[in-house]
Amino acid sequence: MQTPPTQLAHEADFTRFMRAYQDMVYSTAARLTGNPVQAEDIAQHVFLKAYENFDNLRGPEAGGWLKTVVRRTALNHLERYRKRWKFFSELRHEDAADDAPDFEIETPDTLLADLDTEESRARVERALQDLPDNYRVPLVLYHFEELSYEEIAAQLGASLSKVKTDIFRGRAAMAKNLT
Amino acid sequence: MQNDSEKLERLIDRTLRAQPPLRAPRGLETRVLNELARRAALPWWRKSFAHWPLAARALFVLASGVFIKLALTGVTWMSDAAAAPVASVQNKARIASSLVEVGAAVVHAIPPQWLYFGVAFGAAMYALLFGLGATAYRTLYK
């Protein structure tokens, strides 16, 4: 049986669409989960969902739609681990202050001399991937996904002070790894 | 302290934002297209309801309506059939309540000392049998 020409055009459009967005979708999933294999599964799931809604995704809003779906899918994927993480993290930060964490760190003036080299980029990705989930996830949501502290707290179902403390500790851990 | 925290935030922000997107694995596109092809090859009844032919969807809705009607009729029939046993249960409850009343009258007629003695005797026998059982277990199965 031959595939009709309109169907072929549709598939060619979708392939182009996928090529345009696959790095963005994969990056978001990989940085949130910290696991390349899980990230590939999540990216596949997101594109299959996109195919079902492809007729509504031909405008400029497609990128935003994909970002939202991949973020939600990755967070759902982390859900079962998140419960455990929240439990231990809440125990550790039970008496965390509202704004600033209660310990001091020495902030270096620079982290990596040249951020544009392949090696530096790989080091940053590795440092991010090595962070525990409870530091990495809010850090990625804040710095890459540009969510506010309040939005992150709402998405993770955690308190605002805990999110701020985890992000601060995540930054400190990254700085330590990169200096 | 606050300055240090802000400085750290700026530093990490600059570092992370300078990161380009990660490159998706080469096989991702093929994986997605293969999965789409596999799904397209599935027969219609294994796809989601929205992808069923119109006639099949109409038939399914009709069959669901008939099933609901049958279920409702069945429930009505069963509640009618259950009405007779309920009446019989009510009669039995009346008999049981009369027996309880007779029992209460008998208990009131017995002097309280006899009742206390009966309870104490029962407790003593229970303790004695429990003790005998425990001793026998320890002796025979140790």
Side-chain angles (χ1 to χ4, degrees), chain A residues 79-176:
Chain A
E79 180 73 26
R80 59 194 147 146
Y81 303 105
R82 241 169 63 197
K83 280 184 183 145
R84 195 174 48 189
W85 144 51
K86 222 172 94 177
F87 176 70
F88 287 113
S89 192
E90 288 284 3
L91 279 183
R92 276 189 286 123
H93 303 154
E94 219 167 33
D95 50 358
D98 259 345
D99 289 311
D102 52 355
F103 66 97
E104 290 187 25
I105 58 137
E106 269 185 40
T107 307
D109 289 328
T110 54
L111 290 179
L112 295 168
D114 188 0
L115 289 172
D116 289 335
T117 65
E118 196 64 40
E119 195 193 331
S120 303
R121 289 170 181 163
R123 258 190 83 185
V124 173
E125 291 296 340
R126 218 170 25 248
L128 191 64
Q129 199 175 328
D130 287 346
L131 290 177
D133 281 0
N134 61 311
Y135 292 169
R136 191 188 60 255
V137 173
L139 199 70
V140 169
L141 292 176
Y142 187 85
H143 290 290
F144 285 108
E145 301 298 302
E146 300 177 2
L147 299 190
S148 67
Y149 291 121
E150 287 79 7
E151 286 170 323
I152 296 169
Q155 290 236 343
L156 298 182
S159 70
L160 190 60
S161 62
K162 189 183 108 55
V163 164
K164 285 181 179 179
T165 309
D166 281 348
I167 290 178
F168 181 84
R169 287 175 190 241
R171 284 179 193 139
M174 273 208 82
K176 200 175 162 194

Side-chain angles (χ1 to χ4, degrees), chain B residues 12-25:
Chain B
I12 293 292
D13 197 56
R14 202 172 56 233
T15 307
L16 292 183
R17 280 176 200 272
Q19 289 292 102
L22 298 171
R23 187 160 295 173

Side-chain angles (χ1 to χ4, degrees), chain B residues 46-131:
Chain B
R46 290 190 58 196
K47 292 181 184 173
S48 70
F49 185 69
H51 292 94
W52 286 17
L54 193 63
R57 277 190 276 175
L59 196 67
F60 181 80
V61 170
L62 191 72
S64 301
V66 169
F67 178 77
I68 290 167
K69 174 72 182 154
L70 281 175
L72 288 175
T73 310
V75 167
T76 314
W77 178 81
M78 277 165 64
S79 61
D80 287 347
V86 166
S88 143
V89 166
Q90 280 172 341
N91 284 336
K92 282 175 186 161
R94 264 197 297 275
I95 292 167
S97 117
S98 307
L99 284 175
V100 167
E101 279 170 22
V102 169
V106 169
V107 167
H108 281 296
I110 298 171
Q113 290 85 348
W114 287 30
L115 285 177
Y116 297 147
F117 174 77
V119 170
F121 181 75
M125 290 307 289
Y126 177 81
L128 180 69
L129 287 173
F130 187 83

Side-chain angles (χ1 to χ4, degrees), chain A residues 21-36 39 118 121-122 124-126 128-129 144, chain B residues 19-25:
Chain A
Y21 290 109
Q22 62 179 356
D23 288 351
M24 181 272 280
V25 168
Y26 176 76
S27 298
T28 307
R31 284 170 181 155
L32 279 171
T33 59
N35 182 320
E118 196 64 40
R121 289 170 181 163
V124 173
E125 291 296 340
R126 218 170 25 248
L128 191 64
Q129 199 175 328
F144 285 108
Chain B
Q19 289 292 102
L22 298 171
R23 187 160 295 173

